Amino acid sequence: MLDFAIFAVTFLLALVGAVLYLYPASRQASGIPGLTPTEEKDGNLPDIVNSGSLHEFLVNLHERYGPVVSFWFGRRLVVSLGTADILKQHFNPNKTSDPFETMLKSLLGYQSGGGSVGEDHVRRRLYGDAVAAALQNHFPLLLQLSEELLDKWLSYPETQHIPLSQHMLGFALKFVTRMVLGSTFEDEQEVIQFQKSHGTVWSEIGKGFLDGSLDKNTTRKKQYQEALMQLESTLKKIIKERKGGNFSQHTFIDSLVQGNLNEQQILEDSVVFSLAGCIITARLCTWAIHFLTSSGEVQKKLYQEIDQVLGKGPITSEKIEQLSYCRQVLFETVRTAKLTPVSARLQDTEGKVGPFVIPKETLILYALGVVLQDPSTWPLPHRFDPDRFADEPGMKVFASLGFSGTWECPELRCAYLVTTVLVSVLLKRLRLLAVERRGFEMKYELVTSSREEAWITVSKRH
C-alpha cells in the first residue's frame, strides 16, 4: 500500500499529469531558476511527496528561488509563477478558458472542447450565463434551505456540537442539485443515489492517475466507474426531459439546452458544475463560518451590517449588493483559506515573463496559494482581516487573480451568493462559536479543506 503522503498529493498531481498527458513533451532548457530532477523518471515527484502537497512544495520552491521557478514533473518541465506582478506579465492566448474547468474535464476523460477561440468563448459565456440565470431563478429555494438549516440549528441545545463541514456539504448538495436538475428531481431515493455517486466521483478523481493504484484496485475502479456512469445517466435523463418539457422554473440545464451545444457538451458542463459548484460552495461556507467563529470582532461587525441593511426583513437580491463588509469577509475567507491554491495553463506559444523565455507547450502553474500569502502584497498575510479589502489596491489584485470581477469563475460566483445568503440568515438569529480555539490543519487539494471535522456550537441572539 502506498505511503499516505502519496494520497495527500495525488489529486493535484493528477491535475498536472492530466494536462501534461494531453500534449507533446518539451525538454527545452529555459534557464529559469529551480530544481534539477531528483530522479530521471519521476523528476521532482519525490520532493513534492515529501513536502506533503503540491502547494506546500511550491511555497518552499518560491521561497528558495524567487517569483519564477521551474521543476520537473516526470520528464516534463514545469514553470510556476508566484507573485501577483509576475502573473500580470504572463502572456497566454487562452484567456477564454478556465483552468479549473479544463483540468477537471481532463480528469473525467472529457475531450469535447478544443474548438476555436471564438467557439470556446461562446461556450464559456453560455456556461456563465447559465449559472447566473439558475441562481436568480432559485433564489427563493436558497432562502428556504437557509431558513431550514437555521431552524435545525435553533432546535439544538447550546452545548450541541455541530459538524460544520458535514452540514455545509449537505446544504450545498441540496441547493446545487436542484439548481442544475430542477424540481422534477425530488424523489428521495434518486436524490440519495445521486449524492452518493457525486461523493464517490469527487473523492476518486485523480487517485491512481500517476501510480496506477485505481487500476490495481479492481473494486475501487469498478465503484468509481459505476458512480460516474450513474451520475451521467441521471443527468442524461434530466437533459432529455428538459428538452421535451415545458417547465416553469428555469434551471442550469435549460440554459445549456437552449444554447447551440451538442448533447455531449451539455452533459459535460452539467457534470462539471454539479461537481465543482457543489464542492466550492460547501468549502466556502465552511471556511467562512469557521473564520467567523475564530474572530468575534469580525462576526460582530458583520452582524451589525446585516442588521442595518436587512432589519427585520428577509435578504433579497437587491440588498445583497449593500452588504459590502460581507463581501470583504468572503474575499478574505478565500484568501486566508487559499480556497483554490493552484491553477494551470498551457503555454500555447513561446512567451516571456520578466527576463525569462518560456518555451511553447510548457505547463505554467499559477501558484495562487503562494500569491495569496505573499507579505509584499498582503501585510500580515496569516491574519484574517477583511478590512484589507476595504481599499482599492487589494481589490484590484484579487480581481487580477480571478477571484472577483470580470474573470471570476462561475462556480465561485455561485459560492459567493450562496454563502452570503446563508451567513446572513444564520447571523440574524445566532452567534456562531468555536468548540475549541485552535487552528485547523489544511488539506491542499483542488479545493482546500480541513483535515478534520470543524466543530462549532451556536447560541441564540434574542
Side-chain angles (χ1 to χ4, degrees):
M1 186 172 181
L2 293 171
D3 187 274
F4 174 76
I6 287 286
F7 289 94
V9 300
T10 298
F11 199 99
L12 273 178
L13 295 178
L15 294 179
V16 179
V19 176
L20 291 174
Y21 178 79
L22 299 177
Y23 299 95
S26 171
R27 287 189 60 86
Q28 181 178 349
S30 65
I32 297 173
L35 298 178
T36 56
T38 302
E39 296 182 2
E40 176 63 26
K41 181 180 179 181
D42 294 332
N44 298 114
L45 177 59
D47 303 301
I48 299 172
V49 171
N50 290 335
S51 297
S53 71
L54 180 58
H55 163 70
E56 290 160 303
F57 169 77
L58 293 177
V59 169
N60 295 329
L61 198 62
H62 282 287
E63 284 180 352
R64 289 176 61 186
Y65 296 104
V68 183
V69 298
S70 64
F71 65 96
W72 294 87
F73 189 86
R75 300 176 185 273
R76 303 296 299 268
L77 177 69
V78 181
V79 173
S80 177
L81 309 180
T83 67
D85 289 340
I86 287 296
L87 286 178
K88 290 177 185 177
Q89 294 178 34
H90 181 233
F91 167 76
N92 192 292
N94 294 329
K95 291 184 178 179
T96 58
S97 66
D98 185 311
F100 187 100
E101 176 193 346
T102 300
M103 292 188 292
L104 185 53
K105 284 187 174 181
S106 296
L107 290 171
L108 290 166
Y110 293 157
Q111 304 292 325
S112 71
S116 68
V117 172
E119 290 172 342
D120 289 344
H121 179 72
V122 169
R123 183 176 176 185
R124 188 63 193 159
R125 185 171 60 184
L126 176 62
Y127 184 94
D129 289 346
V131 173
L135 281 171
Q136 182 179 357
N137 283 287
H138 288 79
F139 192 89
L141 173 65
L142 174 58
L143 190 57
Q144 174 191 328
L145 293 176
S146 299
E147 295 283 357
E148 288 176 359
L149 185 63
L150 170 64
D151 290 340
K152 183 176 183 179
W153 286 10
L154 280 169
S155 70
Y156 292 157
E158 293 192 355
T159 55
Q160 176 80 42
H161 289 192
I162 300 171
L164 181 60
S165 299
Q166 179 183 326
H167 281 217
M168 293 303 97
L169 181 58
F171 171 78
L173 270 166
K174 283 182 184 179
F175 178 66
V176 172
T177 52
R178 286 282 298 278
M179 179 179 158
V180 173
L181 305 173
S183 59
T184 56
F185 188 67
E186 291 181 334
D187 179 82
E188 186 175 354
Q189 290 304 313
E190 271 193 315
V191 172
I192 292 173
Q193 181 58 53
F194 185 85
Q195 293 180 351
K196 182 179 178 181
S197 300
H198 183 286
T200 300
V201 171
W202 182 263
S203 67
E204 287 289 3
I205 283 178
K207 281 185 179 178
F209 189 92
L210 297 175
D211 50 51
S213 63
L214 190 60
D215 285 329
K216 294 173 184 176
N217 190 322
T218 56
T219 301
R220 255 180 59 198
K221 185 174 182 180
K222 182 179 179 182
Q223 289 174 343
Y224 169 76
Q225 292 174 335
E226 288 178 350
L228 182 57
M229 287 177 62
Q230 181 64 42
L231 200 68
E232 292 178 338
S233 176
T234 300
L235 285 164
K236 287 177 181 177
K237 175 186 172 185
I238 299 296
I239 290 168
K240 184 177 180 180
E241 290 176 354
R242 303 302 292 195
K243 277 186 174 182
N246 184 17
F247 301 93
S248 59
Q249 192 166 41
H250 193 83
T251 68
F252 174 81
I253 284 179
D254 290 330
S255 293
L256 300 184
V257 167
Q258 294 170 10
N260 188 26
L261 300 179
N262 60 46
E263 290 188 7
Q264 183 62 25
Q265 289 173 327
I266 295 173
L267 175 64
E268 291 180 5
D269 287 350
S270 298
V271 171
V272 167
F273 186 72
S274 296
L275 289 169
C278 173
I279 297 301
I280 291 178
T281 297
R283 298 290 183 258
L284 182 60
C285 288
T286 300
W287 284 116
I289 292 175
H290 165 68
F291 288 131
L292 288 173
T293 66
S294 304
S295 178
E297 286 301 313
V298 172
Q299 185 175 165
K300 179 180 178 181
K301 187 173 179 179
L302 180 55
Y303 166 72
Q304 290 172 344
E305 178 182 73
I306 291 169
D307 185 56
Q308 180 181 357
V309 172
L310 303 183
K312 294 183 179 180
I315 188 169
T316 63
S317 300
E318 295 73 25
K319 289 183 178 179
I320 284 177
E321 298 300 319
Q322 302 175 42
L323 297 173
S324 58
Y325 186 68
C326 184
R327 189 159 51 249
Q328 292 172 217
V329 168
L330 296 187
F331 289 166
E332 180 67 347
T333 296
V334 169
R335 190 199 67 81
T336 308
K338 302 173 285 293
L339 192 68
T340 53
V342 180
S343 65
R345 290 189 185 277
L346 190 74
Q347 188 72 33
D348 278 5
T349 60
E350 183 179 280
K352 190 174 182 181
V353 175
F356 305 112
V357 174
I358 300 178
K360 180 181 178 181
E361 292 168 355
T362 299
L363 183 70
I364 306 298
L365 293 186
Y366 291 174
L368 298 175
V370 176
V371 177
L372 292 173
Q373 299 287 291
D374 182 2
S376 66
T377 302
W378 317 101
L380 300 174
H382 299 291
R383 178 183 175 188
F384 183 75
D385 180 16
D387 287 335
R388 70 176 80 244
F389 287 103
D391 299 325
E392 188 175 347
M395 293 296 295
K396 281 187 175 180
V397 173
F398 213 59
S400 70
L401 300 176
F403 292 115
S404 65
T406 305
W407 295 105
E408 181 181 283
C409 79
E411 294 87 0
L412 189 55
R413 191 178 311 128
C414 172
Y416 281 145
L417 177 66
V418 173
T419 310
T420 299
V421 172
L422 178 62
V423 167
S424 297
V425 168
L426 294 176
L427 283 188
K428 283 183 73 174
R429 300 285 304 280
L430 294 171
R431 291 183 179 86
L432 308 173
L433 307 168
V435 172
E436 296 180 20
R437 294 294 176 183
R438 61 183 177 84
F440 287 92
E441 185 180 356
M442 292 183 175
K443 185 178 180 182
Y444 299 109
E445 297 180 323
L446 182 60
V447 181
T448 302
S449 62
S450 60
R451 289 196 179 277
E452 62 280 332
E453 181 58 85
W455 296 92
I456 67 167
T457 61
V458 298
S459 64
K460 299 175 183 177
R461 286 191 181 275
H462 306 295

